[in-house]
Each structure stands twice: as C-alpha cells, then as structure tokens.
Amino acid sequence: MTGTDAPFLRTLCSLRWLAVAGQAATILVATSVLGLELPQRPLWAGVAALALFNLYAQLRVHHADTAPVTAFGHILVDVIILTWMVGWSGGIGNPFGSLFLILIALAALALPLRWTLAVAATCLVGYAASGIFGLPLPAGYFTAMQMHQWGVVCNFLLSATVVLVFATRLAIALRQREHELAMLRERFVRNEGIVALATHAASVAHELNTPLATMTLLADDIADQADSPEVREDVDTLRELLVQCRERVLALARPAAGDAPGREVVTLPQVLEQWRLVRPTITLKRNDDAPLKLPLDPGIGHLLMVLLNNAADAGEKAERPQVDLTLRIEGDDLIGEVRDYGHGFDARQAVLPGTLFNSGKTQGMGVGLALSHATIERLDGELWMRPANGAGTRVGFRLPLASQETSA
C-alpha cells in the first residue's frame, strides 16, 4: 500500500471532534465534580488549538493530498496536542495517556509500515515527554487511587467506542477499495482478451474480403445462367448472405485501418432484417410501439443479435421456434427484453458471467456474451435474466439513451 485515502482523513476529523468534546467534558468534570485544581488556560488552549486545526482539516479533506506524509502530519498534530493535554493534567499519572495506542492502531490500519513505525515513535516520544515534564495530578475530593481507577474505566469505554465505530468503519472502507481494485483487475484482463480478439478479427477480415468478393461474383454468374426460378431465388438468398458477410467483414477491418473517424449507427429494422435473413425458420414477434427509428450503437445491434440467436437456439431445441422481442423507452432509458420458448433454466443454479442457461443446461455463449457484457458496461447499463411464464427464459437489458448518444 503506497498511499492513504480520503475516508481515513475523514475518520481522523471525526475522531478529533470526539476528542475535542471529550477533552472539554473531562476538564469540566475534573474541576467541577472531582475538585481538581488543574491549570485552566493551558488546557483550554489545547482544546481550542485542536478544534481550529480540525476545522481547517475538514475544510481541506476533499482537496488534500492522499500521500502517507499528509496523514502522518495529521496524526503528528494529534500526538502533540495529546502530549500537551496529558502533560498539564497529571503526566504519567493520567490514565488517559494510553490514548496514544489508538493513534498507533489507526496508523497501522491505513499507513505503510514505515509511516506506522514513525507514528509509533512519535507516540512513544510524546508519552515519555508527558511523563517526564508533566505536572503531577493535584489532590481532589477523591484519593489518587480512586481517580485512577475511574479514569481507567472511562478510558476503556472510550477506547472501545473508538475501535468499534471508527476502526470498523475504516476497515470496511479498505475492504471496499480492495474489492473495487479486484473488479478493475478482472475487467482489465477481460478487456485485454477483447482487444486481442478484435485485432485478430481485423486481420482475418482482410484475408476474407477477397474470397467473399469472388463468391459474390460467382453467385451473380450462377443466377444469370440458372433457368429454374427456384434456383434463382436460392442464389439471390445466397448472394444476400454473402453481401451481409462482406459488409460485416469490412466493418471489422475498417476500425483497424482507420478509415472511419466515428462509429456508425444502426436502427432496429436493419438489425432485425439481418437476423431474419440468417434465421428464416424462426418466428419473431415484437411489440408494435418499438422505437424503430431510434439510432442504436453498433454494440447494441450486436447485443440484440446475440440474444436473438441464443433464444432461437433454445426454441429450436424445444421444437418451439419462436422469439418475442420487446423494446421500449422509459424516461431516459432504453429497456429491451428477449423471450424464448425453450425449456427454461433452473433458477437455483448460479448465473455466471459470460453464461446464459437454456434448456436446463449451461449454454456458454463465449465471445458473443463477453462482448455483450463489455457493451453493457461501456454504456453504463445492466443485463439480467429471469424465467418466463409457462416455459422459456426472458433476457433483458437497460441502457441509458444519453450513453448511446455519447458513444455514437
């Protein structure tokens, strides 16, 4: 760990306000209730100095440097004030001298080892200075042993409160940061794989462009020479598929070649027309109020193709080749859902990233769903899966329209 974070500095500010209130209350109780003749001006000056520094620190906490030296400087001020207060109120005989340990514990939770050792050294120096140069505890209404015992009890309760509330909060913040770092590492590894896949796809696209163009020309020749209308119809379908394949190949090669300065957009009718051409045996039903003219990010078109193909595969296995597509706009979000009529999935099974369940078995969609998840994350959306009424599976997504406009 090479640095601190804002939650730790905010924790120190909260602790200081607790220290200011506790020191003020302790001075009042010691002088009024216990009858101790303590030096008022030095003690109240220490309370005021700590309050002023904490006010400054709290105003600067959002803009403060998060380097360990900054946190060490904050703790150093706390050590100096605590040394001052303990020295003027009994020195080594003051049971609250053990509060130095709390500062060491907080440093151990959030600072690197060398800075924790530095805090421990300053606390040791402060405790020794308060014991050597501190004033003895004056007599009061109770004996020295009684006051020491009650002081130990109060100090234990205060230390327990600090450890339970503030140290626990700090530990939770550190665990959350570690979890976020783990998620970032996982995303980085996945994105590396996607980049490698995109690079390989662009290379293959260049190699496939020429044979696809040749196949398109051959299909035209066959269509011209064919006498049967059925053959011509089949050849026309074949040619449309080849044209679609070539367009996809060119789209893969274009970003790598730097030919397109921006991302092209697609519409829902274009996506559905391409899908029907590939899956002509599947019945597709969509809602009548679907936003047909809404421009979509190319990644959304790919996401729809992946979900529709997966739903078609599930329906064909169950001999119910039908897919329902629902698209609507709610506020600033695009909501979509694809429903298949397959055998469904077992809701007791865990849904793993990159996997969808159909027909009760794990059907890994591999690259397709990995790219879909990357698209969902890039556009700040979400993807979910639920069982459908009767049979089948409903896979839905939510995407902010503002994110699509920005990416497009």
Side-chain angles (χ1 to χ4, degrees):
M1 183 176 181
T2 59
T4 58
D5 50 11
F8 178 64
L9 297 180
R10 288 195 293 267
T11 298
L12 290 180
C13 290
S14 301
L15 278 174
R16 278 192 209 99
W17 288 127
L18 177 62
V20 168
Q23 289 170 359
T26 302
I27 294 173
L28 294 176
V29 170
T31 56
S32 303
V33 179
L34 301 180
L36 300 178
E37 297 182 0
L38 297 175
Q40 298 287 314
R41 289 184 179 178
L43 292 177
W44 285 111
V47 174
L50 187 62
L52 290 175
F53 173 77
N54 199 42
L55 182 61
Y56 167 78
Q58 197 158 29
L59 292 176
R60 296 283 300 174
V61 68
H62 297 290
H63 308 286
D65 184 12
T66 57
V69 65
T70 303
F72 175 77
H74 282 232
I75 297 178
L76 182 61
V77 173
D78 297 328
V79 172
I80 293 173
I81 297 297
L82 183 58
T83 302
W84 177 269
M85 301 297 292
V86 173
W88 283 101
S89 57
I92 199 171
N94 190 331
F96 290 98
S98 60
L99 291 177
F100 286 104
L101 294 176
I102 293 181
L103 298 175
I104 298 176
L106 290 176
L109 283 174
L111 295 181
L113 177 60
R114 60 174 181 171
W115 291 103
T116 301
L117 295 177
V119 170
T122 56
C123 288
L124 179 61
V125 172
Y127 185 73
S130 65
I132 295 173
F133 302 104
L135 298 178
L137 196 65
Y141 300 143
F142 301 94
T143 64
M145 180 59 67
Q146 289 175 329
M147 287 190 295
H148 184 76
Q149 289 175 345
W150 283 108
V152 169
V153 172
C154 294
N155 184 39
F156 172 78
L157 295 176
L158 179 62
S159 301
T161 300
V162 170
V163 171
L164 287 176
V165 177
F166 294 97
T168 302
R169 181 196 303 176
L170 182 60
I172 292 174
L174 291 176
R175 285 195 294 268
Q176 289 177 345
R177 187 172 67 175
E178 291 177 356
H179 177 70
E180 292 174 357
L181 290 175
M183 295 294 293
L184 287 175
R185 284 193 294 267
E186 180 181 349
R187 184 179 302 176
F188 176 76
V189 171
R190 187 193 62 197
N191 290 343
E192 272 192 331
I194 292 176
V195 170
L197 175 64
T199 304
H200 179 68
S203 176
V204 173
H206 283 288
E207 298 176 3
L208 291 179
N209 185 36
T210 300
L212 283 174
T214 303
M215 293 170 66
T216 303
L217 294 175
L218 291 175
D220 292 338
D221 293 340
I222 294 174
D224 294 337
Q225 298 174 8
D227 297 329
S228 172
E230 290 81 3
V231 174
R232 290 198 192 95
E233 183 178 353
D234 291 341
V235 173
D236 289 339
T237 302
L238 176 61
R239 189 182 185 283
E240 291 178 2
L241 290 172
L242 289 171
V243 170
Q244 184 181 141
C245 291
R246 194 177 180 208
E247 289 177 353
R248 293 295 184 88
V249 165
L250 291 175
L252 286 174
R254 191 179 300 118
D259 296 334
R263 295 176 62 89
E264 298 179 357
V265 296
V266 297
T267 60
L268 180 61
Q270 292 175 339
V271 175
L272 297 183
E273 182 180 356
Q274 292 177 358
W275 184 80
R276 286 194 182 99
L277 188 61
V278 178
R279 309 298 292 263
T281 61
I282 306 298
T283 302
L284 176 64
K285 294 184 179 180
R286 62 169 176 82
N287 55 317
D288 296 331
D289 57 346
L292 299 180
K293 297 182 179 180
L294 179 67
L296 301 176
D297 184 277
I300 306 305
H302 175 78
L303 171 65
L304 287 174
M305 294 286 286
V306 169
L307 297 181
L308 289 172
N309 283 327
N310 187 65
D313 293 338
E316 286 181 338
K317 290 181 179 180
E319 297 182 354
R320 289 189 290 269
Q322 178 178 331
V323 175
D324 295 347
L325 173 63
T326 303
L327 284 175
R328 65 185 184 277
I329 297 177
E330 292 185 1
D332 295 330
D333 295 336
L334 173 66
I335 309 296
E337 186 176 83
V338 176
R339 185 256 171 91
D340 66 61
Y341 288 83
H343 297 297
F345 68 97
D346 188 353
R348 294 171 297 180
Q349 292 177 322
V351 180
L352 301 176
T355 304
L356 289 179
F357 289 94
N358 282 306
S359 306
K361 298 180 181 179
T362 305
Q363 301 290 337
M365 293 190 347
V367 173
L369 192 59
L371 295 175
S372 301
H373 273 287
T375 300
I376 291 291
E377 284 191 1
R378 176 171 58 84
L379 299 179
D380 194 24
E382 58 181 338
L383 185 70
W384 64 85
M385 182 176 62
R386 302 186 182 100
N389 294 330
T393 304
R394 297 159 46 207
V395 181
F397 60 87
R398 178 197 61 80
L399 291 169
L401 294 176
S403 298
Q404 293 188 61
E405 294 173 359
T406 302
S407 62

